[in-house]
Amino acid sequence: MGPSMQDSRSNPVSTGSSAALAHAEVALWRMASFFDAPLNDIDAAAQEDPAWCMPHLMRANFLLTLTEPTLMADARHALAKAQALMPHATDRERAHFQAAAACAAGDWRGACAQWQAILNAHPHDLFALQWAHLFDFYVGDARALQSRPAQALKQLDPIDPLRPYVLGMHAFGLEENAHYEHAEAVGREATSSAAKVPWATHAVAHVMEMQGRHTDGLHWLRLNQSTWAEGNGFANHHRWHAALFHLEAMDIPAALALYDQHLSSPHANITLNRLDGAALLWRVHLLGAEHGAGISERWFDVAHGWDLSPAPAGLSIFNDAHTVMVLLGQQRHGDAEALVAEVQKRLQAGSVSEAATTLKVGMPLLRALLAFGREDFGQAVQLLWPLLVDLHRIGGSHAQRDAVIQTLLVAALRSGHAAVASELLRGKSAKANTPLTEHWRHILSRSSF
């Protein structure tokens, strides 16, 4: 292998096939843009050079980023194929194998550290950045969500065709660190190019959600609909954001209409898609019977095709929490308890992802949801309130984790914990004038504690 074997960003590779590299670049674009799955492009790269390990690592990492239990065996099979090709790999590719192996073993933070080591040695390695960024999200590492793309942008050629997608990552990282004005500016910059960058439109939507700008948010999504709506794997997550804007305006029918049209079971084929529908229904459920009329049948719809048994438990505590919400929505309390018991069992056996987070944050969260489901609201408060400082560790965004904050708020309102409810509402000062926040303030004001 000669020193001239490099990809288009000067990263050392163990293939001399320009066709294989071209297919890999298209696959990378698909992963960054969410336009169609990259598997066909990955297979094409492997076909062009069967001795190149990187397509198998790409397949493994793409499957791992989906956090889908049914795809774990396929991811491990791809890793095994890559391992067989390690004797011909570059040091960079061997490092990628080690990172992917750590990720598959459930050490997501360790994988991110290894991807960072690759970026330190190869600052233009956008494969490492893409995978690290998604798992920074899954472990709730807001600082890395901002810093990794920011560092990459300093090194990246200004005319690199994937630069707008790195800008989108940076915008999202800025938003998760509450740098809202800067995040919106960077997100708008990313969307101003000819490239379609759904991660950037999504980042700006997050800014508007966190600031309570529900009217602006709906306008933004409509304005940029051609960027994210057609042929994009991120489309329905954008529609979930639109539903949140409707909820912020207390327009429950509009939010549920979006569920029926875009988030219901016919539109969800993996767990990541189903989480949005479940999270929306849980938020409506928290508003109470007067606002949640008609969602009971939707709880059964969102569960269609979703394995709610204990079998997939432990891969993602964030996913497990949403599974419990669905089971509680269906009044399947015994099944919810069985799932939580299985997570505990697998934690003790050392077979869960991010064991430290599962122990410190995940198990108390799941137990709090069980307590909420059996209407032991005081116990739910006692379990949830101490978790807030570490809640980010379950992954997801501030907007997604707000479902937990709202669960705590409702538990506090229903159990006489006025101080807790007041403190939580003070934390929503950026949304002080939205109808949803006013709804909760009204309930607090009329409650007799």
Side-chain angles (χ1 to χ4, degrees):
M1 184 178 64
S4 62
M5 295 174 67
Q6 298 178 334
D7 67 13
S8 62
R9 296 182 182 83
S10 302
N11 297 305
V13 295
S14 59
T15 183
S17 170
S18 59
L21 289 169
H23 287 303
E25 181 69 12
V26 174
L28 175 59
W29 169 75
R30 293 200 192 282
M31 285 186 277
S33 70
F34 302 93
F35 280 101
D36 297 329
L39 296 177
N40 288 339
D41 305 289
I42 291 171
D43 289 344
Q47 186 174 4
E48 291 290 344
D49 187 350
W52 189 28
C53 64
M54 203 63 188
H56 303 293
L57 293 173
M58 292 164 63
R59 172 180 284 273
N61 281 322
F62 170 70
L63 295 175
L64 290 169
T65 63
L66 300 178
T67 67
E68 179 63 42
T70 60
L71 297 176
M72 288 300 295
D74 291 343
R76 293 190 177 103
H77 181 64
L79 272 178
K81 285 188 172 183
Q83 186 172 21
L85 300 172
M86 282 300 103
H88 310 290
T90 66
D91 289 344
R92 164 183 168 263
E93 291 165 346
R94 291 189 187 97
H96 267 296
F97 173 79
Q98 294 300 326
C103 188
D107 183 9
W108 294 353
R109 291 178 187 273
C112 286
Q114 294 188 57
W115 282 315
Q116 182 59 52
I118 294 171
L119 285 165
N120 291 341
H122 307 284
H124 305 107
D125 191 333
L126 296 190
F127 289 102
L129 179 64
Q130 172 70 20
W131 298 325
H133 189 67
L134 290 179
F135 278 94
D136 287 337
F137 174 69
Y138 290 144
V139 301
D141 189 343
R143 179 177 297 180
L145 281 170
Q146 177 183 339
S147 64
R148 285 195 229 278
Q151 188 61 35
L153 285 168
K154 294 177 182 178
Q155 304 290 336
L156 205 60
D157 191 319
I159 63 171
D160 191 300
L162 295 188
R163 186 175 185 274
Y165 300 95
V166 181
L167 281 172
M169 295 180 197
H170 190 213
F172 182 66
L174 288 164
E175 179 277 326
E176 287 298 293
N177 285 275
H179 302 307
Y180 297 133
E181 184 175 346
H182 191 185
E184 184 168 349
V186 172
R188 288 180 181 275
E189 179 186 354
T191 61
S192 68
S193 71
K196 293 184 176 182
V197 191
W199 198 251
T201 57
H202 151 263
V204 175
H206 269 273
V207 169
M208 294 172 176
E209 167 65 21
M210 297 309 295
Q211 293 180 327
R213 294 160 56 193
H214 50 90
T215 301
D216 289 347
L218 288 169
H219 174 72
W220 169 256
L221 291 176
R222 284 193 296 267
L223 183 67
N224 291 277
Q225 189 163 334
S226 63
T227 296
W228 55 262
E230 297 299 328
N232 193 263
F234 217 36
N236 283 354
H237 187 70
H238 280 72
R239 293 185 173 105
W240 176 77
H241 276 281
L244 289 194
F245 290 132
H246 286 304
L247 278 186
E248 204 68 51
M250 286 297 288
D251 188 349
I252 313 303
L256 290 177
L258 279 171
Y259 172 86
D260 294 336
Q261 295 162 14
H262 299 291
L263 304 178
S264 56
S265 59
H267 307 283
N269 56 4
I270 62 172
T271 302
L272 282 179
N273 299 145
R274 298 179 177 113
L275 297 178
D276 288 336
L280 177 61
L281 295 181
W282 184 256
R283 283 167 166 82
V284 176
H285 171 68
L286 292 175
L287 289 169
E290 63 183 294
H291 297 287
I295 69 165
S296 58
E297 66 274 15
R298 292 184 176 94
W299 282 123
F300 290 90
D301 170 79
V302 78
H304 183 72
W306 188 349
D307 185 356
L308 300 177
S309 76
L315 177 60
S316 163
I317 201 67
F318 184 86
N319 296 5
D320 289 338
H322 287 75
T323 303
V324 169
M325 291 174 187
V326 174
L327 290 169
L328 295 177
Q330 294 182 335
Q331 300 298 306
R332 294 167 57 186
H333 297 273
D335 290 337
E337 291 171 1
L339 186 143
V340 174
E342 184 64 21
V343 176
Q344 177 67 47
K345 178 181 176 182
R346 294 183 184 185
L347 173 62
Q348 293 171 339
S351 58
V352 301
S353 300
E354 289 299 303
T357 294
T358 300
L359 175 64
K360 185 173 182 180
V361 187
M363 289 308 304
L365 170 59
L366 297 180
R367 293 187 183 112
L369 290 172
L370 291 179
F372 188 94
R374 63 176 180 266
E375 300 187 2
D376 187 349
F377 300 120
Q379 178 69 5
V381 171
Q382 290 178 22
L383 287 165
L384 286 176
W385 180 246
L387 292 186
L388 294 190
V389 66
D390 289 313
L391 186 61
H392 63 279
R393 291 176 57 178
I394 70 169
S397 64
H398 290 299
Q400 288 174 309
R401 293 189 298 270
D402 194 48
V404 179
I405 306 298
Q406 290 186 39
T407 302
L408 174 56
L409 173 60
V410 173
L413 289 169
R414 295 180 185 177
S415 62
H417 287 81
V420 171
S422 297
E423 182 64 25
L424 291 172
L425 287 171
R426 277 195 292 273
K428 293 183 176 293
S429 58
K431 298 183 178 182
N433 297 318
T434 71
L436 180 59
T437 301
E438 286 304 311
H439 166 80
W440 296 124
R441 291 189 191 283
H442 176 68
I443 291 178
L444 177 62
S445 69
R446 69 179 184 175
S447 299
S448 54
F449 295 109

